[in-house]
Amino acid sequence: MIDSLIQVMTIDEKVGQLVLYTPRGHDSLSGPALSPEQEQLIRQGGVGGIFNLWGAHATRAAQKIAVEQSRLKIPLLFGLDVIHGYRTIFPIPLAEAGSWDTALVERDARVAAAEAAASGVNWTFAPMVDIARDPRWGRIAEGSGEDPLLGSLMAAARVRGFQGEDPARETSIAACAKHFAAYGGAEGGRDYNTVDMSERTLREVYLPPYRAAVDAGALTVMSSFNEIGGVPSTGNHALLTGILRNEWGFRGFVVSDWTAVTEMIAHGVAGDTAEAAALAFNAGTDQDMESGAYRFFLSRLVREGKVSAARLDEGVRRILRVKYALGLFDDPCRHISGDRERSTLLSPDHIAGARDAGRKSIVLLKNGRGVLPLSKNLRSIAVIGPLADDRTDPLGPWDGLGRPEDVVTLVEGIRSALPPSTRILYAKGCALDDADRSGIAPALEAAKSADAVVLAVGESREMSGEAASRSTLDLPGIQNSLVEAVAGAGKPVVLVLMNGRPLSIAWAEAHIPAILETWFLGVQTGNAVADVLFGDYNPSGKLPVTLPRTVGQVPYYYNHKNTGRPPVDTTKYTSRYIDLPSSPLFPFGFGLSYTTFEYGDMTVSPGAIDSAGTVTVGIRVKNTGARTGEEVVQLYVRQDAGSVTRPVRELKGFLRVTLAPGESRRVEFSLPGRDLTIYDAAMRRVVEPGTFTVYIGTNSRDVTEGRFSVKKR
Ligand code: BGC
């Protein structure tokens, strides 16, 4: 069917499918709207998809133009950045990765898809699966952190969630794995900056999550803005055709990032727009987002023979295949439903899911003197800080159709968790990012007159996401002064961090007894945090990124190499900084619970395998505290010696156990030899014989170790 359609298309109609535009018009009631010129372009078969248009009414009207008034009646795609929710905003992806719970992440993506689909959006520009090792990069908030395995599992879960069992279902939307590739490797953490890395690092660390998304069936992939080693991704044939198509067998289409095609002129690999169009399209970028390069130049390039007719047909075929997979040829409006839109957006179930996701994403970083959980019998509690009663920032970057009025603030969440008799003293203390100190004294007064203090500090949502790199990881503005002042009140203080990236909080870590990392938790922020504060939920989140001590340690990631002179803080000629400890503030995988877990002796059997064998690694984990708790037990491996250097630790698996007080359970991992595959010195995929150290622990630092070996086959 697709091929017979392609046969009757004119060159211009074919090019039309390769073009994606954002609305140029505006409707005072519904927001973005098509301009009359855009409607005309759709009638002429000149547009393959529209993005940033939503709402059952607006999308249905646009779809009708395409399928009733254009010659070939080819339906449109409607794209939108549905990153962590459509109207029901869930925790940012970095936060959700901290749940280490793929079922939860899949469920939330499913909800986002159902809401978006009802509103006519049939394609999301998500999941963002870029590995990020540099927290200065604002887009670290949109991904799943620094680890390739965790990132891959989250990527696949999100694709499954968005697309469901069948993308043609009315509640499914097409996923788009982005930004291909290695966008997170930007030098200095500066957005859009140059990426230059070895092929080994690219393949072992950065590529796996995209691969996982493709293997999970992602229908589309977005090319990234950056270059890698001199070649911008959007014009990178080796990447878009060699790896993505030929190695991985990807059959969907590649969309460029926003104007990334014409940005190749600034990159310096194309002299003009026509050259940029030819370069991008021939490399494998099938659809042009916003730049206009394909619209205005591709027909001519085909006529001049600079782009082959076969390549043109292939690009069109890929796009039509996705429309077909979405069921749009059967019923172009199958997803769109005003009724479902009314009943599904922000439904009670969805809100309950956001609360559940919120509390499972929270990481308890510190709980000195057992300050947490707080008692519900306090006479008074001071809730202080610029984020304590903020209903905008908790939505985080890329908040879809999220609205501030949907957000439960921290003050509100605490209010509803406590009996009416508890006095709540709210004081803002200071703004997120200015120098006005006048609020600090009243905040200190509030702290002094309360039984306990909850202090919410962090970042604004504009400080992370796209084009939001920071040169420091410090709390912005004078928030540190507020923290220092409140710490001096002599009351039990709980620091609640809301932020889109790891922050350097060394002072707070040394002086504040209890710290919760909550990232940006979305619409149910206040309730989710209150659930943890008062012990209605026992936290189980684990950091999906390393928290460095200061920005000077960056990039700092747990799966680093050992070097020839591994750091010894007391020894000069070792690989370290002379002015701070070599360890991070909190390691990857770290997260406490209100109970304690004890790890027993580890068993590794058999002691030797060949590459086709499997090692079983087991350990007994016991809940030694007084509450039921969940622990994410983590498995790491290190190849002791090989043909190339290997990371000091690599995550190979994790399992979640729920244990009642006093209960213990044996946790067992199967580690197949193929999971030890590496790229050897000649870049061949091999499992090398030798010894391996295997670690099980509560995070990437606190582990028990054992050993096994791999024999030659
Ligand atoms: C971002 C993408 C996003 C696109 C469309 C770009 O600026 O880099 O992540 O999907 O805009 O909104």
Side-chain angles (χ1 to χ4, degrees):
M1 183 224 137
I2 288 174
D3 280 328
S4 43
L5 187 55
I6 291 175
Q7 271 173 19
V8 299
M9 293 172 83
T10 64
I11 293 190
D12 287 345
E13 282 167 337
K14 288 177 184 173
V15 170
Q17 288 304 306
L18 312 177
V19 169
L20 179 68
Y21 279 116
T22 193
R24 298 272 185 271
H26 190 82
D27 180 304
S28 54
L29 282 179
S30 55
L34 298 174
S35 66
E37 297 75 41
Q38 288 182 312
E39 292 186 351
Q40 186 54 17
L41 200 59
I42 296 175
R43 267 181 215 111
Q44 291 163 351
V47 183
I50 295 286
F51 70 114
N52 292 343
L53 184 74
W54 57 77
H57 181 72
T59 50
R60 186 182 294 277
Q63 193 66 298
K64 279 191 177 288
I65 298 176
V67 300
E68 288 173 6
Q69 300 176 34
S70 74
R71 187 177 79 94
L72 294 174
K73 309 186 181 342
I74 301 176
L76 294 168
L77 288 170
F78 294 105
L80 187 74
D81 291 276
V82 181
I83 307 296
H84 53 111
Y86 177 72
R87 174 71 190 269
T88 305
I89 301 304
F90 293 95
I92 56 170
L94 183 65
E96 277 203 344
S99 71
W100 295 51
D101 187 339
T102 52
L104 175 134
V105 165
E106 180 174 340
R107 186 193 72 194
D108 292 350
R110 200 83 280 284
V111 166
E115 291 192 358
S119 271
V121 172
N122 52 29
W123 179 27
T124 176
F125 302 132
M128 189 282 218
V129 304
D130 302 316
I131 293 291
R133 290 174 153 187
D134 191 330
R136 288 173 295 184
W137 192 51
R139 304 201 78 167
I140 194 172
E142 298 171 50
S144 295
E146 72 189 32
D147 183 66
L149 176 67
L150 187 62
S152 297
L153 293 169
M154 293 297 165
R158 291 207 158 88
V159 171
R160 288 195 304 269
F162 290 131
Q163 297 189 174
E165 274 163 27
D166 180 359
R169 285 246 181 101
E170 54 189 17
T171 53
S172 296
I173 60 179
C176 180
K178 72 184 189 186
H179 307 78
F180 192 62
Y183 181 32
E187 282 178 1
R190 211 180 73 221
D191 208 1
Y192 317 121
N193 202 12
T194 305
V195 174
D196 200 353
M197 62 175 63
S198 69
E199 190 184 356
R200 181 182 317 285
T201 300
L202 179 69
R203 285 186 177 270
E204 290 190 346
V205 179
Y206 286 82
L207 291 188
Y210 309 104
R211 173 76 195 257
V214 167
D215 287 348
L219 288 169
T220 72
V221 166
M222 187 185 293
S223 72
S224 58
F225 287 126
N226 56 285
E227 68 160 83
I228 307 175
V231 187
S233 299
T234 303
N236 193 330
H237 190 272
L239 197 62
L240 298 179
T241 300
I243 294 179
L244 184 62
R245 302 270 169 202
N246 301 344
E247 281 185 36
W248 299 355
F250 175 64
R251 281 172 53 81
F253 73 83
V254 174
V255 60
S256 78
D257 204 343
W258 180 292
T259 66
V261 175
T262 44
E263 286 172 27
M264 289 200 291
I265 300 171
H267 272 293
V269 292
D272 57 28
T273 309
E275 264 181 49
L279 180 60
F281 194 63
N282 285 332
T285 302
D286 302 299
Q287 196 176 53
D288 173 10
M289 184 194 287
E290 274 296 296
S291 91
Y294 289 7
R295 177 176 168 203
F296 294 111
F297 293 95
L298 211 49
S299 301
R300 197 182 89 195
L301 290 164
V302 174
R303 290 192 188 97
E304 290 171 356
K306 292 185 177 145
V307 165
S308 72
R311 169 69 186 106
L312 181 66
D313 286 357
E314 185 51 33
V316 176
R317 188 174 296 115
R318 290 169 182 166
I319 288 163
L320 295 182
R321 245 188 337 237
V322 169
K323 294 184 173 182
Y324 189 81
L326 283 167
L328 299 179
F329 283 106
D330 286 343
D331 175 2
C333 294
R334 69 189 306 138
H335 303 91
I336 313 175
S337 159
D339 284 348
R340 242 185 309 118
E341 191 179 32
R342 276 182 291 280
S343 64
T344 196
L345 266 54
L346 218 57
S347 74
D349 274 8
H350 295 180
I351 291 175
R355 180 172 186 159
D356 182 54
R359 57 199 208 168
K360 288 181 174 157
S361 300
I362 294 172
V363 182
L364 175 61
L365 293 177
K366 185 177 175 194
N367 194 12
R369 309 197 295 271
V371 164
L372 285 170
L374 295 171
S375 158
K376 287 191 182 175
N377 296 324
L378 300 169
R379 275 170 301 131
S380 60
I381 181 168
V383 187
I384 297 174
L387 287 155
D389 204 26
D390 179 335
R391 60 180 78 253
T392 305
D393 292 302
L395 291 168
W398 295 108
D399 61 339
L401 265 67
R403 297 188 189 163
E405 65 260 34
D406 302 339
V407 172
V408 177
T409 71
L410 184 55
V411 169
E412 289 166 348
I414 290 176
R415 173 78 279 165
S416 50
L418 294 175
S421 55
T422 314
R423 273 205 322 142
I424 295 180
L425 309 165
Y426 164 69
K428 185 169 176 187
C430 64
L432 273 171
D433 197 14
D434 71 21
D436 180 0
R437 297 181 167 265
S438 60
I440 293 188
L444 181 56
E445 277 320 298
K448 282 184 178 157
S449 47
D451 292 345
V453 181
V454 174
L455 177 56
V457 296
E459 297 181 302
S460 75
R461 68 197 191 116
E462 283 86 24
M463 291 174 189
S464 52
E466 188 178 353
S469 296
R470 293 183 62 206
S471 64
T472 143
L473 304 177
D474 294 341
L475 284 168
I478 56 158
Q479 293 183 84
N480 239 340
S481 305
L482 177 67
V483 174
E484 288 172 23
V486 171
K491 294 294 165 73
V493 178
V494 182
L495 191 71
V496 173
L497 296 168
M498 298 187 191
N499 47 299
R501 60 161 59 70
L503 294 177
S504 48
I505 47 155
W507 193 92
E509 192 271 337
H511 297 93
I512 304 281
I515 306 177
L516 292 174
E517 176 57 82
T518 76
W519 312 107
F520 292 124
L521 293 180
V523 288
Q524 282 289 298
T525 291
N527 288 333
V529 177
D531 285 343
V532 169
L533 285 174
F534 300 104
D536 294 319
Y537 182 77
N538 185 357
S540 60
K542 301 275 189 178
L543 291 176
V545 281
T546 304
L547 299 196
R549 291 174 188 278
T550 90
V551 73
Q553 284 180 310
V554 165
Y556 198 149
Y557 43 90
Y558 85 96
N559 48 353
H560 58 81
K561 301 294 185 70
N562 202 37
T563 82
R565 295 190 181 190
V568 177
D569 285 342
T570 48
T571 307
K572 181 161 172 67
Y573 293 99
T574 64
S575 182
R576 66 191 186 97
Y577 297 103
I578 57 174
D579 50 4
L580 87 172
S582 302
S583 55
L585 199 57
F586 293 101
F588 174 83
F590 184 87
L592 302 171
S593 160
Y594 292 154
T595 190
T596 44
F597 299 102
E598 190 183 276
Y599 283 67
D601 289 338
M602 181 167 159
T603 56
V604 183
S605 80
I609 55 165
D610 67 27
S611 58
T614 294
V615 185
T616 302
V617 192
I619 203 158
R620 187 159 282 282
V621 183
K622 182 172 184 195
N623 181 342
T624 49
R627 285 170 178 265
T628 297
E630 267 183 62
E631 169 76 329
V632 177
V633 182
Q634 301 161 36
L635 175 78
Y636 297 88
V637 163
R638 173 176 184 175
Q639 181 171 345
D640 298 327
S643 64
V644 291
T645 63
R646 298 301 307 163
V648 294
R649 249 156 239 193
E650 288 176 275
L651 183 71
K652 291 293 173 187
F654 53 91
L655 290 168
R656 177 179 299 276
V657 277
T658 304
L659 297 172
E663 188 185 350
S664 76
R665 192 163 326 146
R666 215 181 114 73
V667 176
E668 220 171 68
F669 292 93
S670 290
L671 179 64
R674 67 168 179 277
D675 281 7
L676 306 170
T677 305
I678 62 164
Y679 286 90
D680 71 4
M683 288 305 285
R684 288 172 306 220
R685 305 253 306 146
V686 291
V687 177
E688 294 186 331
T691 61
F692 290 77
T693 308
V694 58
Y695 311 85
I696 293 186
T698 179
N699 59 56
S700 62
R701 178 191 64 201
D702 303 313
V703 291
T704 306
E705 63 179 76
R707 184 152 297 189
F708 67 92
S709 60
V710 172
K711 303 258 173 281
K712 246 197 164 78
R713 282 195 85 181

